[in-house]
Amino acid sequence: MPNAWKTILLAITVVAIGFFFYPVSDSTTPGVNPKVVTDETSIDTAPTIALIDDQRINNAETEPGNWLAYGRTYEEQRFSPLEQINQQTVGKLGLAWFTDMRSNRALESTPIVVDDMMFVTSAWSRVYALDARTGREIWYYDPKVPGEWARKACCDVVNRGVAVYKGRVYVASLDGYLIALDAATGTEIWRKNTLIDRSRDYTITGAPRVARGKVFIGNGGAEFGVRGYVTAYDAVTGEQVWRFYTVPGDPAKPFEHPEMALAASTWKGGEWWKIGGGGTVWNSIVYDPDFNHLYLGVGNGSPWTRVIRSPGGGDNLFLSSIVALDADTGVMKWYYQTTPGDNWDYTAVQDMVLADMEVDGVDRKVLMQAPKNGFFYVLNRENGELLRAHKYVSANWATHVDMESGRPVEDPALGYLEDSKWVLPGAIGGHNWQAMSFDKRKGIMYIPAMENPLAYAMNDEWKNTGTYKHVVGGWNTGIEFGRIVQVMSEAGDPPKARGILKAFNPLTGKESWAVEQLHYWNGGVLATAGELVFQGNSLGEFNAFNADNGERLWSFNAYTAFLAPPISYKIDGVQYVAIQAGTGGGELFTGEVPHLASVKYGNFGKLLVFKLNGDIELPVPNVIDRTIPEQPEMLASEADVKRGERLYHENCGFCHGLMVRAGGVIPDLRLMPKAKHALFKQIVLDGILSVNGMASFSDLLNETDVDRIEAYVISRANEDRQAAE
Ligand code: CA
C-alpha cells in the first residue's frame, strides 16, 4: 500500500474507532483528562504500520530503539542498549506523557514498540495502539470479556501484553480466546477459542509469543483445578498446528501424544484428572532460534498438596518444569523439573532468559530461570543439562540441589503433613512473573526477589476424614485456608517478609548488591547500557539505581503502586522509558499494609513515559479516608461468626484480603456503609456487581452462608474500628 493511502486509512480509522469505541471506564483519575499529549501531532506524522517478522526479531540487537517482542528480543534478556539516559543524565529524567488506562485493577503489560507505534494492554485484555512519541491513541480494542469470568482468575483480570508480527497484533483474552488484530486499525481478523472445556476455570493472562509463522499460547487456572497445555496456531489462518499437554489426563483414555506416557508413569494412586492436575503455562513461553526450540515454563500442581494429588508418590511430570519442544511439531526435546512432586505452588512459569556464556571454561548456550522455589537455574539449552542451581533468596523447604541427580534435597523438618509450618518461599515465590533483566556484559541478573513465607497446613477435611472434595468453581489447593488465621498462629513466629532488588551472578550465586524494600510485592526490572536499573515499587515510586552498586540515583512519585516491567525505546534521537502503574495481581491476600500507594491513594492505572527534560506533572490524588464506618447491628451468634470466618477465607479472602483487610485494589468490605450492607445478599448471590468481576457465588454459598460471612465482616470491622479509637 502506498504511504499516502496508509495515512488516509489511518486517519479514517482514528476518527471512526475513536468515536465509536471509546471504552466504558472502570475508573478515571479524578481531574485528569484521559490523555495528555505534550505537542500537537498532525495526521501527517501519523505512525507507520508495524511490519515485523522473524528476521527482524532475530536481529533485534541491530534495532536498539525498538522493543519488538515481550522480552525485547527472542532471548528475552530485557536489557536496553540505549544510553542517552545514563548515570550522568538521569537527574533530568521527567515525564514526557502519560495516559489514564481507565482501570483500577492491576496492570502487568509489557508495551511493544515498533518504529513509532506502541501496543499495550490493560486489565480485561484490552489493547491500545498509541503513538509512541506522544501517547495519542491510534486505536483501541476491547475483547469484551464477560465480567463473571473474573471469578475464574486466581490473580485478578490482568494481561501481560501482545505479540506483534507481520502487520498483526495478537492478544489472548481472559476468557480463553486468541485474537488476531490488524496492526494498523485494530480490526479483528480472527478469534479462536483455545479452551478444551469452557465450563472449567481457565483464564489467559499471558502474552502470546510468535515465531516461524505460529502463535503460541497457554493458560492458567491450576488453583481452581484445570489441566495445563500449550497450543500453537497458524499466525495467518488461526488454525491449530499442535497442542502439548503438560500433565496426563484420564488414564481410561488414550494418550494425546507420546510424552504423556512418560508423564503418566510419574502420577500414582490419585484421581488427579478429575481435579485437573494443574501444570498450567500461564506466563513464560520462549522461542530459541538457535535450536528451533520452544521452552514452556510449567506451573504448579492442582491441588497443591502432593499427597492428595498423587498419594502413591511420584514426580508428577511435567509440573514445575521447563519443557523444551520442537517449535514446528510440539514434540518434546528435553525437560528439567525444578520441583519434583510439587507441594507448595512452586510454579516454574517465571520468565526464562536465554544467553550465550562461558561456563567452566566452555562456551554454552544457556537458559536461566528464577522460579518460585528459591533456586536460580542455569541450564544448557541444547539438552537441558543442569549447570548451576544456587539459592537466590532464603529457602527452607530444601537444603540444596544435588548437582548429580539435578534434584532438590527437601528438609523433612519442613514437611507439613502433620503440623503447620512456615515455609520460605511461600506460595507467591521467591520471584514471580515480574520480569528480571540480564546484563550479558557483566553476567549479572537483576531480580525483583521476595521473601514472603506462607503457613502451610493440610486441609482440615483431609486430616479429619482422609478424603478431599473437589469444589468446582472454588479454590482447590488442599491447603487449609478456611482456618488460615489459626494455622498461622499454630505455625509459630513467621520468618520476616521482605522485598529485595538483587544484582545476582547466576554462575557464582553471589550478590553484587541488594536493595531492601518496604514491601515484597514490587515491579519488574529493566537494566540499560546507561548503567541504570529501573524498577517501580509498591509505594508508588519509580526508581533508577546505579547498576554497579544499587545506589538510588533518581525517583519519581507516581502515587500508584507498580508491578509491570519498564521498557525503553528511542524515536527521532530521543530515548524514552515507559512503564505501567497499577498493582494487585497475585498478591491480593495479605491485604492492608499502610504505606502501600494503593491503600493510601487507590489504584488509578496509568501508562507513564519518561524522557530527559520531560516536564509533565501528574496530579496529586487525595489520600483515601479509610475510617471504618459504623456497622449494622450484630445479630449473629459467636458460632455463626466463627463459621463465617472460615467461609470468608475459603471464598472471599483471596481477593478481599486476609482478615477482611484489603490492599486497596479490590474493595475493603470493612469500609462498606450500611446502605451497601443492605445489598450484601444481592451482590453475593444475585451477582448485581458481576460487570465489575464480582460474579454470583450462588453455586457455592446459600443465604445462611452469606449471613455468616457478613457477620464475620461486621465483627472484623468492629474490632478494627475499636482498635483505631
Ligand atoms: Ca499457582
Side-chain angles (χ1 to χ4, degrees), residues 360-393:
D360 305 326
V362 182
D363 287 332
R364 299 280 196 189
K365 292 189 177 296
V366 304
L367 179 155
M368 293 176 278
Q369 192 192 46
K372 276 188 183 176
N373 76 7
F375 290 93
F376 191 105
Y377 296 91
V378 183
L379 303 178
N380 179 341
R381 60 186 151 97
E382 185 173 8
N383 55 19
E385 176 196 0
L386 178 65
L387 300 172
R388 292 288 190 280
H390 293 291
K391 280 183 186 173
Y392 66 92
V393 284

Side-chain angles (χ1 to χ4, degrees), residues 376-688:
F376 191 105
Y377 296 91
V378 183
L379 303 178
N380 179 341
R381 60 186 151 97
E382 185 173 8
N383 55 19
E385 176 196 0
L386 178 65
L387 300 172
R388 292 288 190 280
H390 293 291
K391 280 183 186 173
Y392 66 92
V393 284
S394 300
N396 62 9
W397 70 281
T399 55
H400 64 288
V401 172
D402 175 69
M403 293 304 289
E404 284 296 311
S405 64
R407 298 172 70 91
V409 179
E410 291 182 23
D411 182 348
L414 270 290
Y416 61 86
L417 208 52
E418 304 294 333
D419 306 311
S420 54
K421 300 280 166 56
W422 284 108
V423 178
L424 269 174
I428 62 165
H431 169 227
N432 209 295
W433 64 268
Q434 292 97 319
M436 50 190 191
S437 176
F438 184 62
D439 186 339
K440 65 182 173 190
R441 304 165 309 163
K442 298 173 180 169
I444 293 291
M445 190 72 82
Y446 301 96
I447 310 173
M450 299 180 278
E451 296 188 356
N452 185 44
L454 178 67
Y456 288 81
M458 288 301 296
N459 173 274
D460 280 354
E461 189 191 355
W462 182 86
K463 259 180 130 168
N464 296 331
T465 67
T467 59
Y468 179 75
K469 191 168 170 290
H470 175 233
V471 179
V472 175
W475 276 56
N476 291 279
T477 62
I479 297 291
E480 184 49 47
F481 276 110
R483 223 165 40 78
I484 187 70
V485 178
Q486 292 75 33
V487 165
M488 286 163 65
S489 93
E490 286 162 17
D493 292 334
K496 184 177 177 282
R498 54 203 280 256
I500 324 111
L501 172 64
K502 289 193 178 191
F504 182 85
N505 184 317
L507 294 181
T508 65
K510 298 276 187 298
E511 291 170 19
S512 316
W513 51 262
V515 174
E516 288 280 335
Q517 290 153 325
L518 265 173
H519 190 57
Y520 49 84
W521 194 237
N522 300 298
V525 175
L526 170 74
T528 73
E531 309 302 344
L532 296 169
V533 176
F534 289 93
Q535 186 195 27
N537 67 23
S538 61
L539 310 187
E541 297 167 344
F542 184 40
N543 293 318
F545 300 95
N546 182 327
D548 300 317
N549 58 21
E551 182 194 352
R552 186 163 80 166
L553 299 177
W554 174 84
S555 185
F556 178 89
N557 189 353
Y559 305 100
T560 305
F562 291 91
L563 287 184
I567 66 153
S568 190
Y569 60 95
K570 193 174 190 178
I571 299 174
D572 300 336
V574 179
Q575 183 187 353
Y576 298 89
V577 175
I579 185 169
Q580 283 189 328
T583 193
E587 212 341 57
L588 296 165
F589 186 62
T590 305
E592 187 181 39
V593 180
H595 44 256
L596 294 186
S598 52
V599 171
K600 264 165 97 171
Y601 303 113
N603 198 45
F604 299 107
K606 297 183 255 307
L607 171 68
L608 307 171
V609 179
F610 299 86
K611 65 178 181 181
L612 295 180
N613 303 310
D615 58 359
I616 296 291
E617 287 189 18
L618 278 182
V620 180
N622 295 325
V623 173
I624 291 173
D625 178 6
R626 298 186 67 84
T627 311
I628 298 172
E630 196 187 321
Q631 298 292 303
E633 193 186 347
M634 171 64 90
L635 302 167
S637 68
E638 192 79 8
D640 280 343
V641 171
K642 207 81 203 137
R643 179 72 194 138
E645 177 182 352
R646 174 182 278 274
L647 287 165
Y648 172 88
H649 285 107
E650 284 171 351
N651 295 284
C652 320
F654 297 109
C655 293
H656 291 283
L658 181 67
M659 297 177 75
V660 205
R661 290 175 176 145
V665 180
I666 305 293
D668 190 313
L669 303 181
R670 296 170 306 161
L671 305 185
M672 285 194 299
K674 283 182 182 172
K676 201 125 187 204
H677 273 282
L679 296 172
F680 198 77
K681 266 192 204 137
Q682 283 165 275
I683 295 169
V684 180
L685 294 178
D686 301 340
I688 59 171

Side-chain angles (χ1 to χ4, degrees), residues 265-285:
S265 71
T266 66
W267 292 67
K268 293 169 184 164
E271 293 189 317
W272 67 86
W273 63 95
K274 292 184 178 167
I275 302 173
T280 50
V281 181
W282 55 263
N283 182 51
S284 189
I285 298 174

Side-chain angles (χ1 to χ4, degrees), residues 223 300 345 347 372:
E223 272 55 62
N300 58 280
D345 185 22
T347 68
K372 276 188 183 176

